[in-house]
Amino acid sequence: SGTNASLSFCDFSKSIITSSLNLKYKPGKMLLKGKYIYVTHPEANVVSVIDHITKTEVTEIPTLNHPSDLIIDALNDVWIDCPGAGLTKIKHLSWQNQLISEDFPLSNASSDVPCRIGLAPSGAYVYYFDNGLKRHFISNNQLPDNKFIANEEPNLFGGFNIDYNSGNVYYIQKGAASDKLMIYQSNGNLLTELNVGSGSIQTLSAY
């Protein structure tokens, strides 16, 4: 963090920084999975994989453009949202102690899209934005064509989140006077909608 790209390791029981690791690129979001820390570098189009036990960089994995948000699915694979470009999946082959990646590019790439990826409670579906909210089954080899919300107006999209208990999707629809919080079931059916203040850009869910 700061002017020099680095990752700090902290001992919270003592409220001290124990060590730091210099990084080649400015870090974005981070995710801890087992002994690895996955660090996105949006400006460099790579993800650094850090061994937090040895505090060393294991490898750099190329991604699609502007890697931003990231989650872990039911198979322990890491999905990275590259907004406007697609998704990159990183799989850990434990029997070979190897990390491999697979890109899922969008058919109509665009740079002006939200940076967000969500996960169903089962871990079997990832949600992302591609000219509308999409839901991808993690075992499929191709991204879906259909929108999750059939009658969605993509230009009114204001953000989303997933309720990890129910699997309901909390969706912000932007409006001229006020925004709406739309709550959908995991099958895409609308449960209810609520008027909220204007300028809402993200929603929160209960965990």
Side-chain angles (χ1 to χ4, degrees):
S1 58
T3 55
N4 297 320
S6 63
L7 180 65
S8 297
F9 298 87
C10 304
D11 183 341
F12 288 106
S13 66
K14 299 178 181 178
S15 300
I16 59 172
I17 296 175
T18 57
S19 61
S20 296
L21 175 67
N22 290 329
L23 302 174
K24 293 180 183 177
Y25 315 107
K26 181 180 178 180
K29 288 193 175 182
M30 296 183 291
L31 182 149
L32 176 64
K33 172 181 174 286
K35 69 174 185 176
Y36 293 132
I37 302 172
Y38 294 81
V39 183
T40 63
H41 301 284
E43 298 174 3
N45 299 333
V46 297
V47 168
S48 294
V49 183
I50 311 297
D51 186 324
H52 76 84
I53 297 175
T54 62
K55 299 176 176 56
T56 57
E57 183 179 283
V58 176
T59 188
E60 288 179 1
I61 297 179
T63 68
L64 297 171
N65 290 341
H66 203 76
S68 299
D69 208 2
L70 64 177
I71 52 93
I72 303 174
D73 69 16
L75 301 178
N76 282 322
D77 295 334
V78 176
W79 289 83
I80 299 106
D81 180 34
C82 303
L87 305 176
T88 295
K89 180 175 71 172
I90 301 175
K91 179 182 288 291
H92 181 210
L93 304 180
S94 56
W95 61 92
Q96 298 178 355
N97 194 28
Q98 181 183 7
L99 293 164
I100 61 172
S101 64
E102 181 180 3
D103 290 334
F104 293 77
L106 303 183
S107 56
N108 298 303
S110 169
S111 59
D112 186 23
V113 297
C115 306
R116 181 76 176 105
I117 190 169
L119 183 70
S122 65
Y125 293 91
V126 294
Y127 293 81
Y128 64 99
F129 188 86
D130 169 25
N131 194 32
L133 186 62
K134 301 286 184 70
R135 186 175 77 155
H136 173 64
F137 181 50
I138 60 173
S139 296
N140 285 351
N141 295 323
Q142 292 183 326
L143 297 178
D145 294 323
N146 298 330
K147 293 185 291 186
F148 172 69
I149 302 169
N151 61 348
E152 179 188 8
E153 298 181 62
N155 60 310
L156 300 181
F157 177 81
F160 80 96
N161 214 330
I162 312 299
D163 187 313
Y164 200 73
N165 295 306
S166 66
N168 291 339
V169 178
Y170 293 77
Y171 178 100
I172 287 289
Q173 179 178 289
K174 296 183 293 185
S178 65
D179 298 342
K180 288 184 178 180
L181 172 61
M182 322 283 285
I183 303 178
Y184 291 89
Q185 293 176 300
S186 58
N187 58 9
N189 290 335
L190 179 65
L191 278 175
T192 188
E193 59 182 67
L194 304 168
N195 288 321
V196 295
S198 60
S200 304
I201 59 172
Q202 193 51 269
T203 64
L204 300 177
S205 61
Y207 285 84

